[in-house]
């Protein structure tokens, strides 16, 4: 048996959107179950996101610290952001986020992993990139607003970050998945065997 997720769409008898927000919405579908019954499923509709695990020459991961109101926590995270334009190339979006949130650029990009963050209640798909060969970005810094005006930065060694993950000290989904995927890739075929930065992404198809 091959362990691989497969696309599948069950019949939807009716659908409505009871709430539409600035970036996301809530949808209610009436879905036909395998036994023929119909169940209502409410979920958040999300444009998708990208995240960047930026690794410097000293084997440190670039982190940002940001207040997240829904969980009432300041979280250590890796740079990330929404796919604001339908069909946007996720690599371009990731390069933009690394520049805007950290004022850093990278020469080497790979796909680290792809995840659905909370598939039981949200259709958000995230592509996490590995970025290496870092340097300071040129030009003026991006004008931050709202929560981003209060962000801090840090560079944390990979080994320490893994310990923090396993100790329950950091909780951001992309950070946890990203750093553990990095360690797994190193112990497997190596970082250079990771998918190229423009690898297909069925969850959020894009124009190369």
């Amino acid at each position: 048996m091959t362990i691989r997720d497969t696309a599948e769409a069950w019949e939807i008898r009716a659908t409505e959107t009871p709430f539409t927000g600035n970036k996301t919405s809530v949808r209610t579908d009436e879905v036909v179950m395998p036994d023929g019954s119909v169940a209502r499923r409410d979920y958040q509709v999300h444009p998708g996101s990208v995240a960047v695990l930026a690794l410097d020459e000293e084997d440190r991961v670039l982190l940002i610290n940001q207040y997240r109101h829904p969980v009432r926590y300041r979280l250590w995270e890796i740079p990330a952001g929404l796919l604001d334009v339908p069909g946007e190339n996720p690599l371009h979006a990731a390069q933009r986020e690394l520049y805007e949130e950290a004022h850093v650029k990278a020469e080497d990009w790979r796909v680290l992993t792809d995840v659905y963050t909370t598939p039981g209640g949200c259709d958000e798909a995230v592509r996490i990139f590995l970025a290496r060969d870092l340097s300071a970005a040129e030009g003026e810094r991006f004008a931050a607003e709202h929560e981003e005006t209060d962000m801090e930065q840090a560079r944390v060694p990979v080994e320490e970050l893994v310990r923090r993950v396993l100790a329950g000290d950091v909780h951001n989904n992309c950070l946890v998945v990203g750093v553990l995927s990095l360690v797994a890739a190193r112990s497997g075929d190596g970082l250079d065997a990771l998918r190229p930065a423009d690898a297909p992404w069925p969850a959020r198809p894009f124009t190369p």
Side-chain angles (χ1 to χ4, degrees):
M1 180 175 59
T2 300
I3 303 300
R4 177 178 296 169
D5 295 339
T6 56
E8 184 170 313
W10 291 2
E11 180 186 352
I12 299 173
R13 291 282 175 85
T15 186
E16 60 180 303
T17 304
F19 170 79
T20 300
N22 185 33
K23 296 292 185 180
T24 66
S25 61
V26 173
R27 182 176 297 164
T28 299
D29 291 340
E30 294 184 3
V31 186
V32 179
M33 299 289 111
D35 63 0
S37 63
V38 176
R40 290 172 62 90
R41 293 291 178 261
D42 303 317
Y43 59 100
Q44 182 184 20
V45 178
H46 193 285
S49 306
V50 292
V52 184
L53 193 144
L55 188 67
D56 70 14
E57 68 282 355
E58 297 180 38
D59 206 40
R60 301 176 302 175
V61 177
L62 190 157
L63 301 181
I64 58 175
N65 185 256
Q66 184 173 352
Y67 175 66
R68 293 301 190 183
H69 186 70
V71 295
R72 309 301 199 273
Y73 259 82
R74 291 188 66 96
L75 299 181
W76 286 104
E77 307 178 350
I78 56 177
L82 298 176
L83 291 168
D84 293 312
V85 181
E88 181 179 15
N89 187 314
L91 174 60
H92 299 166
Q95 291 169 332
R96 180 185 67 236
E97 294 300 329
L98 184 60
Y99 166 76
E100 291 182 354
E101 295 194 347
H103 203 59
V104 166
K105 63 180 180 179
E107 298 302 322
D108 187 282
W109 291 83
R110 310 277 173 144
V111 175
L112 191 52
T113 191
D114 299 323
V115 295
Y116 288 113
T117 55
T118 48
C122 178
D123 71 350
E124 180 183 15
V126 181
R127 169 156 281 188
I128 304 175
F129 289 90
L130 172 65
R132 294 180 291 175
D133 194 3
L134 309 182
S135 61
E138 300 174 354
E140 296 183 6
R141 292 189 65 91
F142 176 74
E145 60 179 2
H146 305 308
E147 291 91 343
E148 294 179 348
T149 61
D150 195 33
M151 287 195 308
E152 302 174 45
Q153 280 192 37
R155 296 196 181 198
V156 181
V158 171
E159 288 188 5
E160 178 183 345
L161 200 49
V162 170
R163 288 195 295 269
R164 296 291 183 183
V165 168
L166 299 179
D169 293 333
V170 293
H171 306 86
N172 175 261
N173 181 289
C174 293
L175 168 57
V176 171
V177 172
V179 72
L180 296 184
S181 295
L182 173 71
V183 173
R186 281 177 166 173
S187 66
D189 295 331
L191 300 184
D192 290 336
L194 290 169
R195 286 174 290 162
D198 60 353
W201 189 17
R204 292 294 184 274
F206 62 93
T207 301

